[in-house]
Every structure is written in structure tokens, then in C-alpha cells.
Amino acid sequence: MNFFRGVMGGQAAGPQPSGAETIQKLCDRVASSTLLEDRRDAVRALKSLSKKYRMEVGTQAMDHLINILQTDRSDSEILGYALDTLYNIICNDEEEEQDESEDENAQKQADDLGAQFTDKFIQDPEHITLLLTLLEEFDFHVRWPGVKLLTALLKNQGVQVQGIILVSPMGVSRLMDLLADSREVIRNDGLLLLQQLTKGNAAIQKIVAFENAFERLLDIITEEGSSDGGIVVEDCLLLLLNLLKNNSSNQNFFKEGSYIQRMKPWFEVGDDNAGWSAQKVTNLHLMLQLVRVMVSPVNSPGATASCQKSMYQCDLLQQLCTILMATGVPADILTETINTVSEVIRGSQVNQDYFASVNAPSNPPRPAIVVLLMSMVNERQPFVLRCAVLYCFQCFLYKNQKGQGEIVATLLPSTIDANSISAGQLLCGGLFSADSLSNWCAAVALAHALQDNLTQKEQLLRVQLATSLGKPPVSLLQQCTNILSQGDKIVRRGSKVQTRVGLLMLLCTWISNCPIAVTHFLHNQENVPFLTAQISENLGEDERLVQGLCALLLGICIYYNDNSLENYTKEKLKQLIEKRIGKENFVEKLGFITKHELYSRAAQKPQPVFPSPEQMLFDHEFTKLVKELEGVITKAVHKSTEEEKKEEEVKKTLEQHDNIVTQYKELIREQDAQIQELKEQVASMTSQNEQMQTTVTQQLSQIQQHKDQYNILKLKLGKENQSQSSSQGDGSQMNGLQTEELSQLREEVEELRKQHSLLQTQLGDKDALINTLKSGASQTADGPAGGSDNTELLQELEALRNQVQSQSTEITQLKTERQDLLRKAEAGSSDTAVPTSDGSLDGAKMAELEGRLTAQMSETQRLEEEVKRLSESRAELEQQLASSTSTVAILQTEKTKLQTEVQESKKEQDDLLMLLADQDQKIHNLKQRLKDLGETVEDEDDLDARDQTDDDDEEDEDED
């Protein structure tokens, strides 16, 4: 034990061994000792030396320490010492390293040392798996140093360690168990471990999220006091940011799990906002960043819109607006809140409408937009706050034509209220103030009120400004151009690059895709000479951007010119560019915009973020406009008049073809509508036919009943004839019975006549429907379908006619039977030779009955004639359908022929392009061969340069 006393600080006789020798002896003792106590003491000694002799311990003892972790699993104390020792040699402790190092090189060497030992440790992936297994130990002396060691490994070589943990079975799940540890030290260090584990690895982020991380982290934040909590809340928020940022799967899981609703209580700050601690500011700042991650413009539009809707429904947006309008909020929190509200309302019409309705708690109340704009145009406000307000205004107007109209309306003469400050007045005040930053912000804000909105661009032309007393008002467009080109005082104010860039961006946005605005701009005779003079001058580096924007503005005047002004048509403007500037020089100046170093930075994201006010030159939406117009303007400037005419002819041809196709489409739509109407008519007629069939079935049953009654009557009459010879009293009884039965028969025949009348009415309805069908069939184009439906209908009518004929036959049979009965009755009366008044009365009734039957027979004949007429109309209808079918076939043939002609014309154009390309290649090869043979060959560029030189010489001679 004397050896250990010497190592641990005791006095020993003789010369003291060096640190390296001591570490070597301790390593030998760890490797060779059989007693656990000896190995434990040796490892404890290595731990005490690991910070001072980091290099030696890491080089000599790492393998022995790893072996201890593998073999001495039963002793938690020696495991703790080994893990602490490994942590000391791998972790880059800044304070210790600063104490040991005297310069930056020593610091860098210490960092490299930690990376080297980390690489050595993770050479065998089983070491990481072993460490994960040790983390399952509940003993504090094993689990805590294991968490710290794994965190240090992730800090030094995060990607490699992440890959090993990802493929390790249940590796991430073991680490997630640390959040459930009741010991706060382990739980808090577990948060730090998970922060390092989830950095930049989407797969691990998804696993952690689906291990119920959101629920656990939100519970911890609530337990720790939300925004009023300590550093633990900050660690939870940082881990949440790692899980959600740029991870659409986790963002969707967070939204679907209703975790957005649990964020609302975080922002419920009290009325007394005094005494904001630094930790509370940090926590609230991270919470706002978490909200922004869910609605970031870089997310997919569908996911962003869904999150925006959830935030409005759970009143999170309302809570953020409350903070926005509260007093006593720190400046950085207020700035971040403005940015958060901006992205929550960006592109969401419902959220934008709500934000427009928010009023500041002032007397009288003012809209929140007006209050924010007052901060934007106030040069005393912090720069980052003014940028945030500009971003908020841009997001409010993004895809919000209603909001754009409301902003522009505040500038129109009919809506200006002299007693209140409006957004339009603030924008105009900022546009013409002495502060160049206010000029730029107001110009960009006003440009966003016109973005992709032709109506508001035309409305803004009506805005009139009163410049000074006694002078007539001028338009806003004229005043903007005056700032750029006229007046000594105005020139000095507009001479700042930032102001001129802002005004040029506003003018380019305003007149782009608006020929009326272009005409108004060109109507001022001084604008075009000013632009050409600016472009043609050789200015310094700072002025190149202004030259490029002037070239863009002039190019827009060419591209969107409707040739309504004779002096400034497209052709004349191009001639002016060629004479005064030169086409190549013009295109070069136009390219200065995209080559500027600040252009690419502004094009990356919508939020205006600038290191300093001087670098605030480009707007994100304007970079999109430049990218869209640069190519087309270059082509428009280089195109000749003949090429433009050819393009116009091609456009007209294509438009004609499109019109023909559109006409056919409309015809097909009309035919579809007509077919649908006919189908509905056929369906209604089918239902009516079913009703008529039901009626016919009922009539057949009634006829059967009549047959039975007639048979019964015949039997009764036969019996009466047999009993007529018996007595006069019996004859009188028979006559009375016959009279009663004849009256019953008369009632039944009357009922049959009514049924025939009903049948006649139904056939009349059928006739009217068929006439309607004939008129519709004359217009429809679907001949086969309509013909099949009408054929079915006519078949049903044929069946109905057959049924009527059968009824007529039955009536004839009934008439015959009646005549037989009459003959029998007459024969019986002549045998008895007893004429009575009752017999004469029965004869009159029988005559009346015969007359009615005769009328029914005539009615039946009329019905047969009607059926015949319907058959003839069916034949006519079929002819009309056949003619309409042929018409449709002709139209389809013409359509196919036109489509074939369009395809052939496109193919011919492609062949001509291929021939031109082949000719250019042959000419180039011939020129190259001539050059190789020593002949002098002039290129087209040389010829153009010579022509340009000749023109310049001629101009010089004319001037002399």
C-alpha cells in the first residue's frame, strides 16, 4: 500500500517517480492485480491524475479502463472511477484547458487531443454498445458518469457516434429512459445528451419523437414553471427545436398530437411586465422560435397552413398579439414576437383578417398595423425592430389582395381622414423623409401592397400629393420620379444609394405587368432621358447597382409597352438603347443586379435580416421579380422587328387554334348538358310508363272481375228461362231480378268507360312528352344514345297499344254476350205472351247500354289511330337522330384534321430549327478549316464591331 500512498499524496523515501512512470505502474497494477480492491485503488489513482496528465493517462490507460468496464461489471464503484477517468481524458474542459495552456496553439492542441482519444474509443463500436448497456444501471455512480462520457463523445465526434447508436438495438430507447429518472441531475444531463444526439440526424430525431419525447418534455417545462423556469426549461426548448427544425415528419406529429394547444400558456404573461430576468427572456425567446419553426416559410405550404389554422383556433395568435401590444416588454422579446406573428399570419387569410382587426390599447384606439408602421418610419427605433416591423407588414400583405386594397385605399383622395393617421400617410411620410432607411422601408412596404395585384397598381396612379403651397398636386408616380431626376434639394436627398435603390424597386414593381402604369411613366418626357443618361455613364462601384436598376426599369418599359405613345414605342425605345447605350452595354449593366453580393443573401429567405443598415438594399420578393424579368428583357432588347412579327403571327395562329379547340369544348359541354337533360326526361318518362303499366294491370284485373260477373249473370238468366213457364208471379220476380242485374251491368260499363277516358288522358301526356323529346333530339349530338332511349320508349308504347287492342277485343266479346242475353230474354217473353210495361222499360235500358258500348268502340278506334300516329312520329324522330349523328361525325372529323395540322406545323418548325442548327455547325466547321489553312475569316462579332465603328465614324463626320 506504500505505493498507493505515494501516488495519493503521502511521503515516500527516495527519489519521486515521474508522472509517466507512475501512470505506467498504475496501469500494470490494473492489468495484473487479482484483488478487486487493488484494481479499484489503481483506477482511483488514475482518475486523480487524469486531468493533470491527460495525455499520458489517455495513451497508456484507455485500453485497461475499457477492460475494467467489461470485466468488473459487478462493482459499481470501480465502474464509476473508470467512467470518470475516461470522461476526463476525452472531455475538452475549457477552464482546465485555459489554466494549462498559455496560448491559442495549446488550446487547439487540447481540442485535438480530445478528438484523438474519442476516435480511439469509438474504433470498436462495441465500446459504445457497452456504454449504452452501463446506462441501464440505476446506480448513480455508474449512470451519471456514463451520461457525461457519452455526451463528451457526441460533442467530439457526433456523426460517428450517432451512427453507432442508431444501429444499436434499443440504443435510443435506453437514452430516452434518462428523462424518466427521478434524480434531477441525471435527468438534466440526459437532456444535454439528447441535444447532442439529435443534432443534424433526422432518423434519430424521428425515433426520439416517437418515443413520446414531446409529452415528456412539455411535462418537464410545465413542472419547472414554463417561461419563469430555469436552465432546465431552456434545455428542454433547445431539444424541442432540434426535434422539429427542418423535420416535416416530427412537425406533423407535433401538430397531430395537439401539442400546439399546450404552447398557449407559455405566453400568458401578467399585466406587470417589470423585472424580466435574463433566464425568462432566454426561455421566452426560445419559445417564440419554437412557434416560428412550426410555421416557417421553408416548410411545405400545406403543413404551414395547417399549423397556422391550429394556432388561430387555440387562441395562440391572439395571445401573441397581446404581447405585441403590451407595455414593458423587453426590446428583443418584442422584436422576436413581431417576427413570430409575421410568420403565423403569412399567407393565411383568416389570420391576416384577425391581425387587421387588432387595435392598440391607446386613446383613441389605433390599428396595430398603424402603430407598427409608426415604429418602422421612426429613425430613433432600433434597427432590428424596424426590420421586424417591415417583415410583419410584408407577411400581412403576402397573398392578401384584400389587405393590399385596404392599404392602397388609405392613399386615395376619397378615403383620406384628416383627423387620424393612416397606414398610407405613414408610408408616404417615410417615402419622402430625410432618413434613407425610412425611404427604403416605406418603398419596399408600398411595393408589397402592389405585388401581383394589377387592380391596386392602377388605383395607385390616382394618388395625388400636395408638394407645396400654391402649386398644383402631382401624382405619386411623378413625385417618385422627381426624387430620382429633378430639383437640387430632392437630388441631394435622393443621392443616397439606399434611397434610390428603394425608389427604383418600387417603380419596377409598380409598372411591371401593368401597361397603363408604363404609359403614365413614359408620358413624363424627362424619365427616359434620365434613365439612358444614368445607364450610359461610367460611375463607381457604389453606383453600379443604381445603373442596373435603371436598366431594369427601362427594360420593363419596353417589355410591357402597349405602343400607345408614338414617341416611346417598343421599336423606338430599342433604337434609343442601341444608339445611346448599346445593346451589349445595356445587358451588362442589367447583369449588375444579380452579380451584387447582397442580391444572393436577400434571395435566400423572405425575412429581411441585415448586419447593418447600410447593407439593406434588396428585398426578397424583388429578387424574384428580377429573376423573372432579366431573361425576357434581354431577349426583348435583342429581338428584331421581323422576329417580333413572326412571334406575333405564331401567337395569333396558336390563339386561333386554341379558340377552335375552345369552341369544340364548349360545344361538347353543351351536348353533354343536353344529353343529361334527355336522360332526365327519359327517366321521368320511364317512371310514368311504370305508373301506366300499373294502371293497365289494375284494369286487367277489373276486366277479369267483369267476366266473372257476366258468367254469373248468364247462369242466372238460364235458370230464369226455365222457370218462366211456372207462373205469372214467378215471371214478375224474374223481370225484377233481370232489371236489377242490368242496372248493375250498366254501372260496370260506365266505370269501364271512365277507365278508357283515363287511358286516353295518359296517352295524351305521352304524346306531349314525345313531342318534347323530338324537339330536344333535333339539338343533341349524341345520336346513338338518344336513339336507344327513344327506341325503348316506343317499344313501351307498342306494348301499350297491344294492351288497348286486347281490351277492345274483350269489349267486343262482352257486346256479343250481351246480344245473346237480349235474344234469350226476347224469346222468354214471347213464350209467356205476357207483355208488361217492365219489359218495355228493360228494352229501353238495353238500347241505352248498346249505345254506350258503341261509343266505347269508337273511342277504341280513335286510340288505335293515335297509336298509329305515334308510330309515324317515331320514324321521323329516328331520322332526325340519324342526321344529328352524322353532324357530330363531321365535326369530329374537322377537329381531328385541325389537330393534325397543328402537329404538322409544330413538326415543321422543329425541322427548320434542326436545319438551321446544322447549317450553323457546317458554317462554323468551314470557317475553322479556312482558319487552319491560313485564310482570314471574319466572325459575326467582328462584322458587328466593324459596322458599329463605321456608324460611329459617320456620326463623327456628321457632327464635324
Side-chain angles (χ1 to χ4, degrees):
M1 298 300 293
N2 291 332
F3 173 75
F4 293 107
R5 292 193 192 97
V7 172
M8 300 303 293
Q11 298 294 328
Q16 295 294 325
S18 63
E21 294 174 352
T22 303
I23 292 169
Q24 181 62 44
K25 291 180 181 179
L26 291 173
C27 291
D28 293 340
R29 181 60 61 108
V30 170
S32 60
S33 294
T34 57
L35 294 177
L36 179 61
E37 290 80 3
D38 292 345
R39 294 198 300 276
R40 184 189 304 126
D41 292 339
V43 174
R44 184 190 301 114
L46 286 173
K47 174 188 173 183
S48 63
L49 296 173
S50 59
K51 291 185 178 181
K52 184 176 182 180
Y53 299 101
R54 181 183 178 188
M55 180 69 166
E56 291 77 5
V57 173
T59 304
Q60 301 181 29
M62 180 174 287
D63 294 336
H64 300 293
L65 295 173
I66 294 173
N67 187 48
I68 289 293
L69 297 179
Q70 294 172 339
T71 57
D72 293 333
R73 297 281 299 276
S74 59
D75 186 51
S76 60
E77 189 174 358
I78 193 172
L79 290 178
Y81 292 149
L83 291 171
D84 283 334
T85 305
L86 289 171
Y87 173 74
N88 289 338
I89 62 177
I90 288 176
C91 177
N92 295 319
D93 193 344
E94 295 180 0
E95 294 182 359
E96 293 292 336
E97 289 169 2
Q98 286 177 0
D99 293 337
E100 293 178 3
S101 61
E102 296 178 358
D103 52 19
E104 294 180 358
N105 293 330
Q107 176 67 35
K108 184 177 179 181
Q109 184 178 1
D111 294 340
D112 294 340
L113 193 62
Q116 292 174 6
F117 288 143
T118 301
D119 291 336
K120 183 178 180 181
F121 185 85
I122 64 175
Q123 281 180 353
D124 187 357
E126 291 297 326
H127 296 166
I128 300 295
T129 306
L130 173 63
L131 193 55
L132 293 173
T133 305
L134 292 175
L135 289 179
E136 294 181 349
E137 297 287 340
F138 188 74
D139 192 292
F140 179 81
H141 297 288
V142 177
R143 201 170 203 183
W144 187 42
V147 171
K148 294 193 296 182
L149 175 58
L150 188 56
T151 305
L153 292 171
L154 285 166
K155 286 182 179 179
N156 292 336
Q157 295 293 342
V159 177
Q160 292 87 337
V161 178
Q162 284 174 344
I164 297 172
I165 294 176
L166 188 60
V167 299
S168 178
M170 300 296 291
V172 178
S173 300
R174 294 173 182 174
L175 299 180
M176 284 299 299
D177 293 338
L178 298 174
L179 296 182
D181 200 306
S182 58
R183 294 160 293 191
E184 292 188 0
V185 175
I186 295 179
R187 184 198 68 184
N188 298 343
D189 283 346
L191 289 172
L192 300 177
L193 170 60
L194 291 173
Q195 285 181 24
Q196 298 297 327
L197 179 66
T198 55
K199 279 184 178 180
N201 194 308
I204 293 179
Q205 291 169 1
K206 292 180 182 179
I207 296 174
V208 171
F210 283 95
E211 288 286 343
N212 205 23
F214 293 142
E215 185 74 28
R216 296 184 184 181
L217 292 174
L218 292 175
D219 289 341
I220 294 174
I221 291 173
T222 304
E223 292 172 1
E224 295 291 329
S226 297
S227 60
D228 294 324
I231 189 69
V232 178
V233 173
E234 180 182 348
D235 293 336
C236 291
L237 293 171
L238 289 172
L239 179 55
L240 285 172
L241 285 173
N242 283 351
L243 296 176
L244 293 174
K245 194 170 185 178
N246 298 326
N247 194 317
S248 58
S249 175
N250 284 1
Q251 290 173 5
N252 185 61
F253 182 66
F254 190 85
K255 179 184 70 67
E256 295 296 335
S258 299
Y259 296 119
I260 291 179
Q261 287 80 346
R262 297 185 60 178
M263 297 166 66
K264 178 179 176 290
W266 296 352
F267 305 102
E268 293 178 354
V269 296
D271 296 334
D272 185 12
N273 293 323
W276 287 64
S277 63
Q279 187 61 54
K280 181 176 181 178
V281 171
T282 302
N283 292 344
L284 202 55
H285 196 273
L286 291 173
M287 291 172 178
L288 292 169
Q289 286 185 358
L290 195 60
V291 176
R292 294 185 63 184
V293 164
M294 298 299 297
V295 293
S296 175
V298 300
N299 298 342
S300 64
T304 301
S306 180
C307 292
Q308 289 172 335
K309 182 179 178 182
S310 299
M311 290 178 183
Y312 175 76
Q313 292 176 345
C314 72
D315 292 339
L316 178 58
L317 174 60
Q318 291 83 329
Q319 198 63 46
L320 293 174
C321 290
T322 302
I323 298 177
L324 194 66
M325 295 292 104
T327 57
V329 179
D332 52 348
I333 294 297
L334 181 60
T335 302
E336 189 65 20
T337 303
I338 295 173
N339 289 328
T340 306
V341 171
S342 304
E343 295 182 353
V344 173
I345 68 174
R346 187 176 188 268
S348 174
Q349 188 64 53
V350 176
N351 294 3
Q352 289 168 340
D353 291 343
Y354 171 77
F355 183 71
S357 66
V358 175
N359 289 323
S362 59
N363 191 14
R366 290 177 178 171
I369 298 174
V370 173
V371 176
L372 292 175
L373 288 178
M374 292 172 68
S375 301
M376 186 186 73
V377 298
N378 187 355
E379 56 184 315
R380 297 179 181 178
Q381 293 293 336
F383 173 65
V384 291
L385 179 63
R386 299 174 73 179
C387 291
V389 173
L390 176 61
Y391 184 47
C392 184
F393 191 73
Q394 292 174 351
C395 292
F396 170 68
L397 297 178
Y398 182 72
K399 293 183 179 180
N400 183 11
Q401 292 192 353
K402 178 183 176 183
Q404 290 175 327
E406 292 173 352
I407 296 299
V408 174
T410 59
L411 288 166
L412 298 178
S414 59
T415 58
I416 293 178
D417 186 4
N419 298 324
S420 62
I421 300 176
S422 65
Q425 293 174 357
L426 290 172
L427 290 177
C428 282
L431 192 63
F432 307 128
S433 69
D435 180 27
S436 60
L437 185 59
S438 297
N439 301 153
W440 191 91
C441 291
V444 171
L446 196 55
H448 276 262
L450 307 175
Q451 196 76 36
D452 299 328
N453 196 328
L454 180 60
T455 303
Q456 303 310 323
K457 291 179 181 179
E458 296 176 356
Q459 286 291 325
L460 200 64
L461 295 172
R462 297 170 48 200
V463 176
Q464 299 291 321
L465 301 176
T467 56
S468 61
L469 294 176
K471 291 185 178 180
V474 297
S475 66
L476 178 61
L477 180 66
Q478 183 66 39
Q479 183 66 10
C480 291
T481 56
N482 289 342
I483 292 177
L484 291 171
S485 60
Q486 290 180 351
D488 296 337
K489 182 178 179 181
I490 298 176
V491 167
R492 285 196 300 272
R493 185 185 302 169
S495 61
K496 295 182 180 178
V497 174
Q498 193 173 43
T499 299
R500 287 188 288 168
V501 168
L503 290 172
L504 286 169
M505 287 195 300
L506 172 60
L507 291 173
C508 290
T509 305
W510 190 346
I511 70 173
S512 65
N513 200 21
C514 184
I516 298 177
V518 172
T519 303
H520 278 72
F521 180 80
L522 295 176
H523 193 268
N524 186 354
Q525 301 295 326
E526 299 178 356
N527 288 339
V528 174
F530 168 75
L531 292 178
T532 54
Q534 287 287 319
I535 299 169
S536 59
E537 288 182 0
N538 292 323
L539 303 175
E541 293 290 333
D542 295 338
E543 298 293 332
R544 282 190 173 185
L545 177 59
V546 176
Q547 287 184 313
L549 292 173
C550 290
L552 178 65
L553 185 59
L554 186 57
I556 293 173
C557 292
I558 295 174
Y559 187 70
Y560 292 108
N561 195 335
D562 58 359
N563 297 326
S564 58
L565 294 178
E566 295 182 359
N567 295 333
Y568 294 110
T569 60
K570 285 185 178 181
E571 189 62 29
K572 290 185 178 180
L573 287 175
K574 287 193 288 186
Q575 292 175 0
L576 183 64
I577 289 175
E578 188 172 0
K579 291 180 180 179
R580 298 286 180 86
I581 304 171
K583 292 182 179 180
E584 299 300 330
N585 190 25
F586 177 84
V587 174
E588 181 183 0
K589 297 293 178 67
L590 183 62
F592 286 164
I593 302 175
T594 54
K595 292 178 182 179
H596 199 278
E597 58 181 355
L598 298 178
Y599 175 86
S600 57
R601 182 184 301 176
Q604 292 176 358
K605 56 183 180 180
Q607 183 181 0
V609 179
F610 304 97
S612 62
E614 293 76 16
Q615 297 185 5
M616 199 172 189
L617 292 178
F618 285 105
D619 173 58
H620 177 75
E621 292 296 329
F622 181 73
T623 60
K624 293 181 180 179
L625 181 67
V626 173
K627 185 177 180 181
E628 176 185 352
L629 294 178
E630 184 178 11
V632 296
I633 289 175
T634 303
K635 291 180 181 179
V637 170
H638 282 291
K639 280 179 185 175
S640 63
T641 306
E642 295 179 356
E643 292 176 349
E644 289 183 354
K645 289 181 179 179
K646 289 181 180 179
E647 286 190 358
E648 290 179 358
E649 291 177 357
V650 172
K651 287 181 180 179
K652 289 180 180 179
T653 305
L654 294 176
E655 287 177 357
Q656 291 177 356
H657 288 300
D658 292 339
N659 291 334
I660 294 172
V661 174
T662 303
Q663 291 176 0
Y664 277 111
K665 288 181 178 179
E666 292 177 355
L667 178 61
I668 292 172
R669 290 193 190 98
E670 292 176 357
Q671 292 175 352
D672 290 339
Q674 293 173 358
I675 291 170
Q676 188 65 27
E677 291 178 358
L678 288 174
K679 287 181 178 179
E680 293 176 356
Q681 292 177 3
V682 170
S684 63
M685 294 177 69
T686 303
S687 63
Q688 293 178 2
N689 185 32
E690 292 175 355
Q691 294 177 0
M692 293 180 67
Q693 288 180 350
T694 304
T695 304
V696 170
T697 304
Q698 294 175 356
Q699 290 178 354
L700 289 174
S701 63
Q702 292 177 359
I703 290 172
Q704 185 64 36
Q705 292 176 2
H706 291 321
K707 285 182 179 181
D708 297 338
Q709 292 176 359
Y710 273 110
N711 291 331
I712 294 172
L713 182 60
K714 287 167 65 177
L715 293 174
K716 288 182 179 180
L717 289 174
K719 291 179 181 179
E720 289 173 356
N721 291 330
Q722 293 176 1
S723 61
Q724 281 178 358
S725 58
S726 60
S727 64
Q728 182 68 30
D730 293 338
S732 301
Q733 186 179 0
M734 183 273 294
N735 290 333
L737 179 60
Q738 185 179 9
T739 302
E740 182 180 354
E741 291 175 349
L742 287 175
S743 64
Q744 184 178 1
L745 178 62
R746 183 180 63 190
E747 292 176 356
E748 292 174 353
V749 172
E750 181 68 21
E751 183 179 357
L752 184 62
R753 187 182 66 80
K754 293 180 180 179
Q755 291 174 356
H756 275 288
S757 299
L758 178 62
L759 181 61
Q760 180 182 358
T761 304
Q762 291 175 349
L763 286 174
D765 296 339
K766 277 282 189 180
D767 193 10
L769 290 172
I770 289 172
N771 291 332
T772 305
L773 181 62
K774 285 168 63 180
S775 63
S778 63
Q779 299 175 358
T780 185
D782 192 2
S788 62
D789 293 338
N790 292 323
T791 302
E792 294 176 0
L793 179 60
L794 293 173
Q795 290 176 357
E796 294 172 359
L797 291 175
E798 186 68 24
L800 182 60
R801 186 181 65 179
N802 295 332
Q803 292 175 1
V804 172
Q805 290 177 354
S806 64
Q807 289 181 2
S808 177
T809 304
E810 291 174 356
I811 291 172
T812 305
Q813 293 176 357
L814 290 175
K815 181 179 178 182
T816 305
E817 292 175 356
R818 182 187 63 79
Q819 291 176 353
D820 293 339
L821 289 174
L822 288 174
R823 284 196 298 270
K824 289 179 181 179
E826 291 175 355
S829 60
S830 62
D831 293 337
T832 55
V834 183
T836 60
S837 62
D838 292 337
S840 62
L841 182 61
D842 291 336
K845 292 181 179 179
M846 293 299 290
E848 182 182 358
L849 181 61
E850 183 178 1
R852 291 180 178 177
L853 288 174
T854 303
Q856 290 183 358
M857 287 298 297
S858 63
E859 186 67 23
T860 302
Q861 291 177 357
R862 192 189 66 78
L863 291 175
E864 290 176 352
E865 292 175 357
E866 185 68 24
V867 170
K868 183 178 179 181
R869 188 180 63 80
L870 291 174
S871 300
E872 293 175 355
S873 65
R874 179 189 65 181
E876 293 176 358
L877 184 61
E878 289 176 350
Q879 292 177 358
Q880 292 174 357
L881 290 175
S883 63
S884 63
T885 303
S886 62
T887 303
V888 171
I890 293 171
L891 291 175
Q892 291 291 342
T893 304
E894 291 178 357
K895 177 182 176 182
T896 305
K897 186 183 296 182
L898 289 172
Q899 290 178 348
T900 304
E901 291 176 359
V902 172
Q903 293 295 330
E904 290 177 355
S905 64
K906 289 183 179 179
K907 186 176 179 181
E908 290 175 359
Q909 290 178 359
D910 295 337
D911 294 338
L912 288 174
L913 291 175
M914 292 294 295
L915 289 173
L916 290 174
D918 292 339
Q919 288 180 357
D920 290 341
Q921 185 64 33
K922 290 179 180 179
I923 292 170
H924 178 73
N925 293 335
L926 292 173
K927 288 182 178 180
Q928 188 64 36
R929 290 179 60 185
L930 290 173
K931 288 181 180 180
D932 295 339
L933 294 172
E935 296 292 334
T936 301
V937 180
E938 293 182 352
D939 295 331
E940 293 180 359
D941 295 338
D942 297 333
L943 293 174
D944 293 340
R946 178 182 297 174
D947 294 339
Q948 182 68 27
T949 305
D950 295 338
D951 293 339
D952 295 338
D953 294 336
E954 291 176 2
E955 290 178 2
D956 294 337
E957 291 175 359
D958 294 337
E959 290 176 0
D960 293 339

